[in-house]
Amino acid sequence: MTAAARERDEPGTDPRWAYEVVTVSFHSRGQLEQMIAGLPADMPVVIVDNAKGADRVWELIADRPNGRYVDSGGGKGFAKAANMGIRSSGYEFVILGNPDSRPDIQIIEALVDDLRADAELVCSAATMQGHDGRPELGNGGWEPTPRRVLLHVLGAHKLAPAAALFARPTPGREMAPEWLTGACMAVRRRTFLDLGAFDETFYVYNEDMAFGRAIREAGLRQKLRTDLLVPHGAGGSGAAKTWMLQMRGASMIRYLRKHNAPLKVNAMRAMLVAGYAGRTVLSRASGKDAAAQEHAAYIKGLLVGPPKP
């Protein structure tokens, strides 16, 4: 059966469930198979495929009674693909899940319960845990300012976790970032759409930062659950790491330009370039060539923009 034949344009809903898991795949079949295997067989799941069916991910939901497959047409980027899955859902809540995240039903239910209990809460996110067992840096973060950017490049988050750009929570200790990563996040669907959904001018990265800003400007709230740890590992996408890092740098500059005057943008970019140039040199000196290439790719994104398609 073709991918197109498996797409369901008018999804129904199962009254036993109040939510649907939305995951975006780009050559992510191996990771996605593991993620879905940890969820109940009848849990509603939609795969939004950004790879034009190249790895036949529709097969992963073929036997799931509440599974859906959406072919984005390929190359749409995370923000646009995620929006497609959320807009097409018929459920009150949606759970954004990265293919390389491993949430279980207890964590998902706890996140949804947060939204049920508080009408002003737009989203509730679990804390992503790396392969080393520690919460990851980047579970969320704060609005970029020159001071926060400087503290970030100096590594100040190691001493003052809420002082720089990105959040690394301590398990069980409350933290209130200004935006949250969508790696495992429950979202109130109607409010998400009313706020404009993810900003599709971001191909990947910073759409979560932009959404956090929209929540704050609307006078609403978001929540990071530092007591709910979800195993997570970078690599859910089939794109090359250096391509992703260049895109991350380009997205950061796009975000800064949307919300700051040119002089402030140039100051923050200069600090980021200098900081990551230092990290590139140190990585090469210590024989960590892969890390050096990744830092250099981020700098390239800051200076020249996104990689060519």
Side-chain angles (χ1 to χ4, degrees):
M1 184 177 291
T2 66
R6 284 209 174 272
E7 183 160 0
R8 302 174 196 172
D9 294 327
E10 297 295 336
T13 58
D14 186 331
R16 295 172 299 173
W17 297 91
Y19 56 82
E20 181 174 45
V21 174
V22 176
T23 184
V24 176
S25 177
F26 180 71
H27 299 285
S28 306
R29 178 169 178 141
Q31 293 282 5
L32 192 56
E33 188 169 10
Q34 295 178 52
M35 190 265 271
I36 291 177
L39 303 176
D42 62 339
M43 180 181 286
V45 174
V46 55
I47 298 173
V48 185
D49 186 4
N50 252 344
K52 297 183 178 179
D55 51 354
R56 302 172 65 88
V57 291
W58 67 82
E59 295 175 344
L60 302 180
I61 48 91
D63 296 327
R64 298 184 68 94
N66 292 317
R68 293 196 296 126
Y69 172 85
V70 175
D71 185 351
S72 76
K76 294 295 191 294
F78 173 79
K80 186 173 287 187
N83 285 348
M84 291 174 69
I86 295 170
R87 287 193 182 104
S88 65
S89 179
Y91 289 86
E92 182 179 1
F93 308 108
V94 293
I95 312 299
L96 286 167
N98 280 3
D100 58 349
S101 67
R102 302 290 179 265
D104 57 32
I105 187 171
Q106 289 79 18
I107 286 177
I108 290 173
E109 291 280 357
L111 296 176
V112 173
D113 285 345
D114 286 343
L115 301 183
R116 287 191 176 110
D118 187 345
E120 293 188 351
L121 194 65
V122 180
C123 56
S124 181
T127 294
M128 297 296 100
Q129 185 179 41
H131 294 301
D132 59 1
R134 298 176 61 207
E136 294 177 339
L137 180 64
N139 270 278
W142 292 268
E143 188 71 14
T145 64
R147 180 179 181 275
R148 283 191 176 276
V149 170
L150 177 61
L151 291 173
H152 169 69
V153 300
L154 293 175
H157 61 275
K158 296 175 183 178
L159 298 176
L165 282 180
F166 302 107
R168 188 196 296 275
T170 297
R173 183 179 298 174
E174 289 190 11
M175 177 177 271
E178 294 178 325
W179 58 270
L180 303 173
T181 181
C184 182
M185 174 193 286
V187 178
R188 194 181 305 277
R189 179 179 170 274
R190 185 69 263 161
T191 308
F192 175 86
L193 298 178
D194 289 344
L195 290 173
F198 284 134
D199 184 340
E200 295 180 5
T201 65
F202 295 100
Y203 187 85
V204 64
Y205 299 119
N206 288 83
E207 76 290 325
D208 45 11
M209 187 179 287
F211 184 57
R213 186 185 184 100
I215 291 172
R216 298 194 311 276
E217 289 178 345
L220 300 172
R221 296 185 301 101
Q222 55 204 315
K223 184 176 184 179
L224 176 62
R225 290 291 301 267
T226 62
D227 59 326
L228 300 178
L229 302 181
V230 172
H232 180 245
S237 167
K241 190 71 176 291
T242 52
W243 189 96
M244 296 295 286
L245 267 294
Q246 183 176 344
M247 185 62 75
R248 177 178 284 178
S251 293
M252 177 61 81
I253 289 301
R254 177 184 289 275
Y255 183 86
L256 294 179
R257 285 173 171 162
K258 289 189 75 166
H259 301 293
N260 296 275
L263 186 62
K264 187 179 288 187
V265 172
N266 291 336
M268 288 190 280
R269 176 164 57 184
M271 286 188 281
L272 287 168
V273 169
Y276 280 87
R279 294 177 190 185
T280 302
V281 171
L282 289 173
S283 294
R284 284 182 176 150
S286 59
K288 299 176 181 178
D289 292 337
Q293 291 174 8
E294 291 164 11
H295 295 323
Y298 184 73
I299 294 171
K300 187 175 182 180
L302 293 169
L303 294 174
V304 304
K308 295 181 179 178

